[in-house]
């Protein structure tokens, strides 16, 4: 006798909320780790060190992007398999995703470690900031594999019906990171190295917490010896591509912003952007959390062919994203100086530049959530081309020409408008496409 999974019958709003809050809190805390690093470094080491750590963030993001790429691709197929009732394939997909990620991440870490100086200067380091970049990344690269394991496990654990443990693991990492940052920077005076050590140690312990899921009786996360399948591997990389673009584009965007601010506003502009970017990194992951909550539910319902509930889930996700985006934009525009004050004793010129810029920048959050939810939804139902197009539009295709043209036409302050303009045009284009193709949401297959 087949047992019906409660996901198929539980009312959708409480079901979505049971995934939403753990996912948002977990993603928020993951990003808070980066914010905490910035706050402690700015107060305990200085603004040049803060700029150095900000330059290192894109390299850190590369590792996260790989774990998201393989993790989201594998977890989407994993939940679809569970929805279809094929547990054996689910076990094989988990093992394949985990093993593939380890091989790819260790290869990238080796390459980065061997070419650290050249890559750092490409990413915007100068003779002043490179020592801090080097100091931070030596530790981060050494322990980077644990950061990616933690992220991949949290994704799969959420897809295996245990979003609270996924959140608990990330809470553990975040709380320990704050405590250890204080000890290593202010008590032991380890500087930027202490900041990196705090992140590494906290991540290892957080990963250990996540491993408790394997002892859960109802866990379907199992390693199997026979798992390699070329078709599944291609599907993992194809389905996970939009998630990779999200995180990898963060690195590209930071680099392009750094170069543009340096050209128009000098070193002070780069530091002002670093302050805004730390806040933005936190806010971005909150919106990612909505997609993370939606993905396991959408993929399962897609596998089980429950199309009415699937459409209702999308409407709930879009409403949540719009409300959160509007609220975030209003808060950011009303209290920019208080947010920028988190970063300590920067000069009046830098803080004023960051405060004024963030008021314009924050308008983009109204559109960001909608774009992220739609991309995540289409990714979760295997419409990879459409999901990838959305991510490329907002992060590369529209962003780069907007970043080039706005300051040339309207002056240096228009750099801050790049984010809202790119996100707004993307949202309008998606709306127009769905209006012309209303069946795209309920249909199956790639698009």
């Amino acid at each position: 006798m087949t047992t019906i999974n409660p996901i198929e019958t539980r009312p959708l709003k409480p079901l979505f909320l049971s995934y939403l809050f753990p996912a948002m809190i977990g993603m928020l805390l993951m990003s808070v780790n980066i914010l905490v690093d910035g706050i402690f470094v700015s107060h305990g080491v200085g603004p040049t060190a803060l700029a150095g750590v900000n330059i290192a963030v894109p390299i850190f993001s590369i590792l996260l992007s790989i774990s998201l790429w393989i993790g989201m691709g594998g977890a989407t197929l994993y939940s679809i398999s569970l929805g279809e009732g094929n547990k054996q394939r689910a076990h094989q997909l988990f093992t394949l995703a985990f093993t593939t990620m380890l091989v790819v991440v260790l290869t990238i870490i080796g390459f980065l470690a061997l070419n650290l100086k050249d890559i750092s200067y490409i990413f915007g380091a100068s003779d002043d900031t490179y020592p801090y970049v080097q100091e931070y990344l030596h530790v981060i690269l050494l322990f980077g594999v644990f950061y990616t394991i933690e992220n991949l496990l949290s994704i799969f654990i959420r897809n295996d019906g245990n979003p609270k443990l996924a959140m608990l693991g990330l809470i553990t990492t975040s709380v320990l990171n704050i405590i250890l940052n204080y000890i290593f920077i202010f008590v032991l005076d380890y500087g930027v190295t202490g900041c990196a050590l705090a992140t590494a140690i906290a991540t290892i312990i957080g990963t250990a917490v996540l491993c408790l899921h394997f002892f859960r009786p109802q866990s379907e996360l199992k390693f199997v010896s026979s798992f390699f399948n070329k078709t599944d591997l291609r599907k993992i990389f194809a389905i996970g591509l939009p998630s990779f673009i999200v995180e990898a584009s963060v690195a590209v965007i930071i680099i392009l912003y750094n170069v543009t601010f340096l050209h128009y506003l000098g070193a002070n502009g780069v530091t002002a952007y670093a302050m805004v970017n730390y806040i933005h990194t936190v806010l971005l992951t909150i919106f990612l959390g909505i997609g993370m909550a939606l993905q396991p539910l959408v993929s399962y319902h897609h596998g089980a062919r429950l199309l009415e509930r699937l459409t209702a889930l999308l409407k709930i996700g879009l409403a949540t994203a719009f409300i959160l985006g509007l609220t975030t934009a209003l808060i950011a525009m009303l209290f920019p100086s208080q947010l920028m004050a988190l970063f300590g004793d920067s000069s009046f010129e830098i803080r004023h530049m960051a405060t004024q810029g963030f008021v314009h920048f924050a308008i983009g959050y109204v559109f960001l959530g909608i774009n992220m939810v739609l991309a995540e939804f289409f990714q979760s139902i295997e419409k990879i081309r459409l999901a990838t197009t959305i991510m490329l539009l907002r992060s590369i295709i529209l962003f780069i020409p907007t970043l080039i043209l706005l300051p040339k036409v309207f002056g240096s302050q228009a750099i801050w408008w790049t984010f809202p303009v790119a996100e707004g045009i993307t949202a309008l284009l998606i709306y127009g496409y769905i209006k012309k193709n209303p069946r795209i949401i309920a249909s199956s297959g790639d698009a």
Side-chain angles (χ1 to χ4, degrees), residues 155-407:
I155 293 169
F156 269 95
I157 288 169
R158 197 177 296 116
N159 276 264
D160 203 33
N162 197 1
K164 290 182 180 177
L165 181 63
M167 176 184 68
L168 181 62
L170 297 173
I171 287 175
T172 302
T173 300
S174 183
V175 171
L176 284 175
N177 189 41
I178 293 170
I179 296 170
L180 293 174
N181 255 294
Y182 176 79
I183 293 171
F184 287 148
I185 292 178
F186 289 101
V187 178
L188 299 178
D189 197 25
Y190 284 0
V192 172
T193 298
C195 172
L197 279 173
T199 300
I201 294 170
T203 300
I204 291 170
I205 297 172
T207 303
V209 171
L210 292 177
C211 287
L212 295 173
H213 181 76
F214 292 104
F215 300 98
R216 192 173 183 235
Q218 56 268 55
S219 171
E220 291 296 340
L221 293 187
K222 304 182 191 304
F223 290 101
V224 293
S225 56
S226 178
F227 63 87
F228 186 76
N229 183 297
K230 285 185 180 179
T231 302
D232 284 341
L233 186 61
R234 283 196 296 268
K235 283 186 175 181
I236 285 173
F237 280 110
I239 292 173
L241 182 60
S243 295
F244 171 76
I245 292 171
V246 171
E247 191 58 38
S249 66
V250 169
V252 174
I253 287 168
I254 291 173
I255 294 164
L256 292 175
Y257 263 131
N258 281 336
V259 171
T260 306
F261 275 108
L262 185 64
H263 176 74
Y264 283 97
L265 297 169
N268 284 352
V270 175
T271 304
Y273 169 63
M275 295 164 67
V276 169
N277 187 52
Y278 274 110
I279 301 292
H280 176 61
T281 301
V282 174
L283 295 174
L284 177 62
T285 54
I286 293 175
F287 290 100
L288 278 171
I290 301 174
M292 288 285 189
L294 206 59
Q295 178 270 315
L297 302 175
V298 168
S299 294
Y300 184 94
H301 282 77
H302 175 62
R305 307 303 298 157
L306 300 170
L307 297 182
E308 286 187 15
R309 285 171 65 87
L310 198 63
T311 305
L313 277 168
L314 175 60
K315 291 178 180 176
I316 293 170
L318 286 173
T320 304
F322 177 74
I323 293 168
L324 181 63
L326 186 61
T327 304
T328 302
L330 289 172
I331 292 172
M333 288 188 284
L334 289 171
F335 306 104
S337 58
Q338 289 86 342
L339 291 169
M340 293 306 115
L342 290 170
F343 296 96
D345 300 325
S346 54
S347 69
F348 173 79
E349 182 184 355
I350 292 173
R351 187 177 296 188
H352 178 72
M353 195 183 298
T355 300
Q356 292 294 99
F358 197 44
V359 170
H360 304 298
F361 187 91
I363 296 170
Y365 296 118
V366 176
F367 310 105
L368 173 66
I370 294 170
N371 294 338
M372 299 299 285
V373 164
L374 284 168
E376 191 71 66
F377 177 84
F378 290 126
Q379 179 183 9
S380 301
I381 61 173
E382 302 179 273
K383 294 185 184 298
I384 309 309
R385 285 196 294 258
L386 187 51
T388 301
T389 299
I390 293 170
M391 290 307 181
L392 287 174
L393 278 171
R394 57 172 292 275
S395 60
I396 302 294
I397 297 171
L398 292 173
F399 177 84
I400 292 176
T402 303
L403 182 63
I404 293 170
L405 290 173
L406 284 182

